[in-house]
Amino acid sequence: MSAPEDEERLLPLAQRWPRASKFLLSGCAATVAELATFPLDLTKTRLQIQGEAALARLGHGAREAALYRGMVRTALGIVQEEGFLKLWQGVTPAIYRHIVYSGGRMVTYEHLREVVFGKGEDKHYPLWKSVIGGMMAGVVGQFLANPTDLVKVQMQMEGKRKLEGKPLRFRGVHHAFAKILPEGGVRGLWAGWVPNIQRAALVNMGDLTTYDTVKHYLVLNTPLEDNIMTHGLSSLCSGLVASILGTPADVIKSRIMNQPRDKQGRGLLYKSSTDCLVQAVQGEGFMSLYKGFLPSWLRMVNNLIGSHKATQRNPAPCSLKKNQILPT
């Protein structure tokens, strides 16, 4: 065996297989973040779906009354009526979703950065390339993860169906996939993919542009240095902008994924994402597109702040090459 091969075998695994190591670490970090913030995601989904005006067309008479008002009351209501552990109902497909989404997004982003776009003449990676690359990577990752997102949303609503006296749709994650596939085919697993990838693109765009802009401003125009405080304020602002841009698409996505379907897997409430948008605005008002906004914002900010330790291990100068893309 040659000397270079011997030296390669002695290298740490992270250096021998850098992309595989990054994928594994990304999956582990996503799992921890998902477990910590999942109650916010469950609360967000419940708020987004309740009070759908389109339910009146199915013979329910009047639109379903809003059971909860606000994030805290929704979470407390779930604990009181369903049990504390039900705050994590649907966490298993959520973990699957994060692993697929984070891995697909990371691989796509690195390929775009290194092969398609490349660095500028000054060896820096321009912000506009980061934004376009982040949006495209988010779209690819979200498209790949759509089946797990679909199962997650439907399982998050199972507790509410039980309280309403409706039969449960699934016994677990694998039963959900086994039931959806025969009814709707492979296409049925990608229900709601259009607003899903729209949300991913908008969230990544809002995050990347706002984070860098705010951090540049704070470092250059205030006494603050490039530290945890600056990172926290930048994350707060970028999470806010990302939520403002992405929440309407998220509401449409959740409603399309959760709507009842016929035996062929076709939706009974909405023909398309545009139809869902029109019915929501006409029946519930424009602000219905921002149901679940607060837990969505808090979750994004928490994920961004949680990534601070990773960025601090390899601190960048004030060029602020923020290569991490917002977890969604």
Side-chain angles (χ1 to χ4, degrees), residues 196-210:
N196 210 5
I197 65 170
Q198 289 172 343
R199 174 187 177 273
L202 291 169
V203 163
N204 280 290
M205 179 183 69
D207 164 48
L208 287 167
T209 54
T210 307

Side-chain angles (χ1 to χ4, degrees), residues 7-20:
E7 292 179 1
E8 183 178 351
R9 291 183 61 185
L10 296 175
L11 291 174
L13 292 178
Q15 295 182 22
R16 291 167 62 186
W17 298 296
R19 290 199 174 184

Side-chain angles (χ1 to χ4, degrees), residues 4 100 131 161 293:
V100 175
V131 173
R161 287 177 61 89
F293 174 83

Side-chain angles (χ1 to χ4, degrees), residues 97-328:
R97 179 251 178 205
H98 256 296
I99 293 173
V100 175
Y101 173 72
S102 300
R105 180 191 59 185
M106 181 192 70
V107 172
T108 304
Y109 185 75
E110 288 195 352
H111 177 77
L112 291 172
R113 184 181 62 185
E114 296 173 7
V115 178
V116 178
F117 293 130
K119 295 182 179 180
E121 296 180 357
D122 57 355
K123 302 300 181 182
H124 289 305
Y125 198 61
L127 176 61
W128 70 269
K129 290 185 178 181
S130 294
V131 173
I132 295 177
M135 291 177 65
M136 294 176 66
V139 165
V140 173
Q142 194 67 73
F143 181 79
L144 294 175
N146 197 82
T148 54
D149 218 351
L150 173 68
V151 173
K152 181 202 73 170
V153 169
Q154 294 193 8
M155 290 190 69
Q156 285 177 327
M157 297 303 298
E158 288 296 85
K160 185 170 178 288
R161 287 177 61 89
K162 187 175 181 179
L163 290 175
E164 294 173 348
K166 299 177 181 177
L168 298 182
R169 292 173 287 195
F170 314 121
R171 295 191 300 268
V173 180
H174 300 101
H175 179 242
F177 283 110
K179 185 177 180 182
I180 294 172
L181 195 57
E183 292 179 354
V186 175
R187 183 178 180 181
L189 292 173
W190 268 267
W193 71 272
V194 173
N196 210 5
I197 65 170
Q198 289 172 343
R199 174 187 177 273
L202 291 169
V203 163
N204 280 290
M205 179 183 69
D207 164 48
L208 287 167
T209 54
T210 307
Y211 183 95
D212 282 341
T213 301
V214 172
K215 197 168 185 180
H216 266 114
Y217 179 84
L218 292 175
V219 171
L220 298 177
N221 298 282
T222 71
L224 293 175
E225 299 179 354
D226 190 357
N227 53 28
I228 183 66
M229 178 62 72
T230 306
H231 175 79
L233 292 173
S234 303
S235 299
L236 192 69
C237 294
S238 63
L240 176 62
V241 174
S243 295
I244 291 173
L245 293 176
T247 297
D250 197 24
V251 171
I252 301 304
K253 179 252 322 183
S254 296
R255 293 188 172 194
I256 289 179
M257 288 182 170
N258 186 66
Q259 68 175 324
R261 300 183 179 275
D262 59 19
K263 294 182 179 180
Q264 286 72 43
R266 293 173 298 195
L268 298 176
L269 293 181
Y270 311 111
K271 299 177 182 178
S272 64
S273 56
T274 303
D275 181 42
C276 182
L277 173 67
V278 171
Q279 289 196 51
V281 173
Q282 290 181 346
E284 305 164 54
F286 177 78
M287 293 309 297
S288 65
L289 299 177
Y290 284 91
K291 288 183 175 181
F293 174 83
L294 182 57
S296 177
W297 177 27
L298 293 177
R299 188 165 185 261
M300 288 184 185
V301 171
N302 181 77
N303 287 334
L304 276 171
I305 293 177
S307 68
H308 175 68
K309 291 183 179 179
T311 57
Q312 284 297 96
R313 291 192 186 101
N314 298 288
C318 198
S319 59
L320 303 180
K321 298 185 287 296
K322 181 176 175 279
N323 294 332
Q324 293 193 352
I325 308 174
L326 179 65
T328 58

